[in-house]
Amino acid sequence: MTACVQSAPSLESLPRVIPVFPLPALLLPRGRLPLNIFEPRYLAMIDDALRHSRVIGMIQPSDPDLKVPPLYPVGCLGRLTEWRETGDGRLHITLTGLIRFRVAAELQTTTPYRQVEAAYDTFAGDLETCCEQGIDRNRLGQSLKTYFKQRKIDDYWESIEQVSCEVLVNSLSMICPFDIAEKQALLEAPALADRAELLTALIEMAAAQNGSHGGTLQ
């Protein structure tokens, strides 16, 4: 496995044209997203990124069933921090989120993957130390306990209690089985406190719906 460790970039150093990976998955600043790459066009994208800036944009398609799906207007730039070749031509990579971006324009290119012009100014705060004020961690914790109990998950509570609010909120936002629109709303939340409030509401809603059905959360 190869790993790359770099300091946080400045806003001015970020590339304005970036390759994008349209995938119904969420990447958030300072979050870590493992991916298994096997399609030739995305293998080419990763190869090109490794030879240049080592960054790609993760962005959700608003209608993934279409052959060339339209993109949501906001994604997250990720740095390739780990990559490993497999014996069957695939790549296992890890992206670490840097900063959200807004799609200023999608470019016409000859590459097999899509590229966009990215605007970062709205999200400059993503590069700074995260403010954890205004987060009701107790309410989030109580909703999580109900959520985990319904899913029969109880092995990780001690480690959850030890992580920072940012790690907890962003990790849960990325891994919980929300739909595309809900994940996009979490991505576009202006600040961590806003994301935590939305995350808590989504978990409470899922728990309430599950309780009314008497089953396990899907």
Side-chain angles (χ1 to χ4, degrees), residues 63-138:
D63 189 348
D65 294 330
L66 296 179
K67 184 176 181 180
V68 182
L71 304 175
Y72 272 106
V74 175
C76 185
L77 187 70
R79 174 180 286 151
L80 284 154
T81 49
E82 294 180 0
W83 56 92
R84 177 171 60 86
E85 294 180 325
T86 66
D88 56 3
R90 292 175 295 136
L91 276 174
H92 290 163
I93 68 169
T94 298
L95 286 176
T96 299
L98 294 175
I99 183 174
R100 290 170 290 174
F101 63 87
R102 188 170 295 277
V103 177
E106 181 164 0
L107 307 180
Q108 297 294 323
T109 69
T110 58
T111 58
Y113 50 85
R114 299 165 75 173
Q115 298 186 55
V116 303
E117 179 183 344
Y120 305 101
D121 293 358
T122 305
F123 306 107
D126 290 349
L127 298 177
E128 302 171 359
T129 302
C130 186
C131 176
E132 298 188 350
Q133 292 182 350
I135 297 175
D136 189 345
R137 182 155 181 159
N138 182 62

Side-chain angles (χ1 to χ4, degrees), residues 194-207:
D194 302 299
R195 185 173 300 128
E197 183 176 359
L198 176 57
L199 172 68
T200 303
L202 289 171
I203 292 174
E204 288 175 344
M205 183 170 60

Side-chain angles (χ1 to χ4, degrees), residues 4 7 13 25 28 39-40 63 68 84 90 96-97 158 164 172 178 185-187 192 200 215:
C4 174
S7 59
S13 69
L28 291 166
E39 287 190 51
D63 189 348
V68 182
R84 177 171 60 86
R90 292 175 295 136
T96 299
E158 184 175 345
S164 69
L172 289 170
F178 302 128
L186 289 164
L187 172 68
L192 184 65
T200 303

